[in-house]
Amino acid sequence: MDVDKTVNQYYEQILKRNAGEPEFHQAVAEVLQSLKYVLHKDEHYAQDGLIERMCEPERQIIFRVPWIDDNGKVQVNRGFRVQFNSVLGPYKGGLRFHPSVNLGIIKFLGFEQIFKNSLTGLPIGGGKGGSDFDPKGRSDHEIMRFCQSFMTELHRHIGKDTDVPAGDIGVGGREIGYLFGQFRRMNNRHESGVLTGKGLNWGGSLVRTEATGYGAVYFVQEMMMAEKERLNGARVIVSGSGNVAIYAMEKAQELGATVVAFSDSSGYVSTPDGVDLELLHQVKEVERGRVSDYAKRIDGVTFHEKGNIWEVEADVALPCATQNELDGESAVILADNGCRYVAEGANMPSTPEAITVFRKRGIHFGPGKAANAGGVATSALEMQQNASRDSWSFEYTDKRLRDIMHRIFRTAQRAAAEFDAEGDYVIGANIAGFRKVADAMLAQGVI
Ligand code: NDP
């Protein structure tokens, strides 16, 4: 078999059948590049339309979400749920509420989620959903009415053994609460396992809020330990200031690093002496403010409106905001400034050009599929607790998370070494995630 030609044909077909979805093309292209290594060794993975089936969602649901704003005006948004692959378990993946959301973005996220969820070693399939609703500036009641309308349609497509959504950009504990309330009302059933990221006194799990950020830092630790280096004393840039970013900062500082910058979509704050976490929690989680509000309240801290956060000198960079936020030019700046490690807290934040720079400049790189898998893994632990009507301690759950991140790292490391790509965690994560899903799909027949 001419592997290059076969893979190029797959990709041409994806471009043709999924026009106007650049993020989805980008996510597929990266996985297909890695799969060339597998197909060279194991041609049977090209059988039975396996790869074509894997790139086609099992089901895509698009729906109208009408709701009434505080001025009595009817607003109409679009809702999505892409149920990509359920071969390993119920579809699992977050909901994103952001004005940029469209089908291509939800498909890229759902596609990534298949391999990420496989890597966790837990029985969860891949899916993703969301809406182009913009929660910024909306009142609490508006958010609630939107969530209720969204769930009024979504409820018929989800369930603890079917599809289990969680949070993502713009969807945190408050939104999950409103969504769960509406699900319960419509089904007359307290089905805890239908959503994760719930409140602690109604079925949520300790550590779920912290899990993605903590997990990304555990992954960096693993990469550093493999090089006999330590996070203690390192300078770390964390982009974003949402759920993932806040807890990445918290864990990095707890382990002795100094967070030297963080951001939101309006600019970044440089914090050469580290971040005051108490103030950050207050500004972002209690007041729902901006990073500029943090900068105003503390000396020695500068807010750079629309600046490039990757220009700050650091040893470690953790992109934790959104897709394609770190491009090739920024990767060169990071490398010139001596950065040695990058781990993705966000999904696909590094462009393909940036990843090429990381490889060329010897920067150790943890792709999102592996580095941010702690969030969904802890969601699966929340499902386990719900199924057994139990709740575990913070220490026990955090230990489970740490063990899972260690296993994911080792799995990616081993798969990379097996294919003569030592230290390339992109190739390792893609191959290890793929093989498990592919073997299950072959075993379960052409469906
Ligand atoms: P949040 O909504 O809590 O925070 C998002 C942060 O990113 C905010 O600071 C936001 O700034 C910033 N941001 C969003 N869009 C942009 C943009 N276009 N340009 C610059 N900054 C932007 O989301 P999460 O922290 O939950 O998610 C962050 C990333 O992590 C996403 O890629 C998500 O898919 C990924 N992820 C999340 C998981 C989770 O458990 N929550 C699990 C795995 C991955 P602003 O407020 O100005 O919009």
Side-chain angles (χ1 to χ4, degrees):
M1 182 176 75
D2 181 338
V3 168
D4 286 338
K5 192 167 156 215
T6 308
V7 169
N8 288 343
Q9 279 168 353
Y10 291 142
Y11 189 60
E12 287 304 316
Q13 200 186 353
I14 294 289
L15 292 180
K16 215 156 95 194
R17 298 188 72 198
N18 304 275
E21 297 178 356
E23 293 85 1
F24 180 55
H25 303 161
Q26 185 182 334
V28 173
E30 188 209 278
V31 170
L32 289 181
Q33 278 308 320
S34 301
L35 293 195
K36 285 185 183 170
Y37 291 77
V38 183
L39 291 176
H40 272 296
K41 218 169 161 179
D42 279 321
E43 283 193 8
H44 82 286
Y45 285 124
Q47 282 170 12
D48 292 344
L50 177 79
I51 293 173
E52 293 95 321
R53 282 189 287 139
M54 211 180 262
C55 296
E56 182 69 20
E58 288 175 16
R59 193 173 297 105
Q60 310 183 50
I61 302 149
I62 304 182
F63 51 99
R64 180 170 68 204
V65 191
W67 57 283
I68 298 174
D69 70 17
D70 285 347
N71 299 319
K73 187 166 179 278
V74 172
Q75 301 279 346
V76 180
N77 285 100
R78 188 171 289 171
F80 301 90
R81 187 71 184 166
V82 172
Q83 299 180 328
F84 225 118
N85 194 307
S86 60
V87 77
L88 297 181
Y91 309 106
K92 182 89 199 85
L95 296 172
R96 175 177 292 191
F97 293 168
H98 192 273
S100 64
V101 163
N102 57 39
L103 183 61
I105 288 189
I106 298 299
K107 277 167 70 179
F108 117 65
L109 290 162
F111 184 72
E112 292 273 300
Q113 199 83 46
I114 304 170
F115 307 101
K116 181 192 306 194
N117 292 5
S118 159
L119 272 176
T120 65
L122 299 163
I124 39 180
K128 199 83 188 188
S131 173
D132 57 1
F133 171 68
D134 187 358
K136 270 203 201 97
R138 291 294 177 189
S139 72
D140 220 39
H141 279 141
E142 289 179 315
I143 303 273
M144 182 177 72
R145 286 195 294 273
F146 175 80
C147 288
Q148 289 176 341
S149 180
F150 186 85
M151 184 52 87
T152 300
E153 174 58 33
L154 188 70
H155 85 106
R156 57 185 112 246
H157 308 290
I158 61 175
K160 67 181 168 44
D161 297 315
T162 313
D163 184 355
V164 184
D168 191 82
I169 292 180
V171 179
R174 172 180 59 168
E175 291 74 17
I176 294 291
Y178 295 145
L179 290 164
F180 185 76
Q182 184 72 351
F183 180 89
R184 186 172 57 75
R185 172 205 220 173
M186 300 202 68
N187 293 282
N188 190 26
R189 210 168 57 235
H190 192 112
E191 185 180 320
S192 305
V194 70
L195 288 170
T196 57
K198 298 182 292 295
L200 292 177
N201 51 5
W202 43 278
S205 171
L206 286 163
V207 190
R208 176 59 189 92
T209 305
E210 295 85 353
T212 311
Y214 278 21
V217 173
Y218 294 148
F219 195 89
V220 171
Q221 268 192 310
E222 295 284 346
M223 289 201 293
M224 294 183 90
M225 277 189 298
E227 304 304 313
K228 307 215 171 350
E229 290 192 56
R230 299 179 62 200
L231 194 56
N232 189 3
R235 294 161 305 165
V236 182
I237 304 173
V238 178
S239 67
S241 50
N243 171 262
V244 178
I246 290 174
Y247 292 95
M249 292 189 236
E250 184 174 286
K251 182 52 74 177
Q253 294 208 157
E254 194 184 305
L255 293 172
T258 304
V259 173
V260 290
F262 62 93
S263 62
D264 60 24
S265 56
S266 49
Y268 77 89
V269 176
S270 58
T271 53
D273 299 324
V275 171
D276 179 335
L277 290 165
E278 206 178 312
L279 179 62
L280 182 68
H281 283 295
Q282 173 66 25
V283 171
K284 294 300 302 183
E285 293 181 324
V286 181
E287 299 167 17
R288 295 183 184 271
R290 315 289 302 156
V291 297
S292 52
D293 298 324
Y294 172 97
K296 278 182 209 145
R297 290 205 217 160
I298 200 158
D299 291 336
V301 158
T302 323
F303 174 63
H304 305 259
E305 200 177 346
K306 297 280 165 219
N308 181 2
I309 190 171
W310 311 114
E311 288 173 1
V312 177
E313 277 187 32
D315 309 295
V316 177
L318 303 177
C320 295
T322 194
Q323 64 271 4
N324 293 327
E325 56 167 313
L326 201 174
D327 60 13
E329 261 172 54
S330 297
V332 169
I333 297 171
L334 279 174
D336 288 346
N337 283 341
C339 177
R340 303 252 300 122
Y341 296 89
V342 176
E344 296 184 325
N347 283 311
M348 211 170 73
S350 315
T351 64
E353 295 75 27
I355 297 173
T356 303
V357 173
F358 300 151
R359 284 194 174 111
K360 275 198 189 133
R361 303 287 299 267
I363 290 181
H364 305 279
F365 173 61
K369 274 185 205 85
N372 71 37
V376 74
T378 308
S379 275
L381 301 183
E382 183 173 331
M383 290 162 73
Q384 281 185 32
Q385 292 169 76
N386 294 152
S388 58
R389 301 199 184 278
D390 197 1
S391 53
W392 305 341
S393 70
F394 192 96
E395 292 67 29
Y396 175 73
T397 317
D398 187 37
K399 180 169 183 321
R400 292 282 303 261
L401 168 63
R402 212 169 324 162
D403 291 346
I404 290 168
M405 295 313 296
H406 173 71
R407 257 202 329 266
I408 292 173
F409 174 77
R410 293 283 295 146
T411 304
Q413 190 187 38
R414 271 197 220 111
E418 184 188 332
F419 287 86
D420 297 325
E422 199 97 33
D424 192 322
Y425 306 117
V426 175
I427 292 173
N430 284 337
I431 291 178
F434 165 81
R435 278 201 297 206
K436 211 173 135 197
V437 175
D439 291 343
M441 285 178 74
L442 290 174
Q444 292 181 25
V446 177
I447 45 171

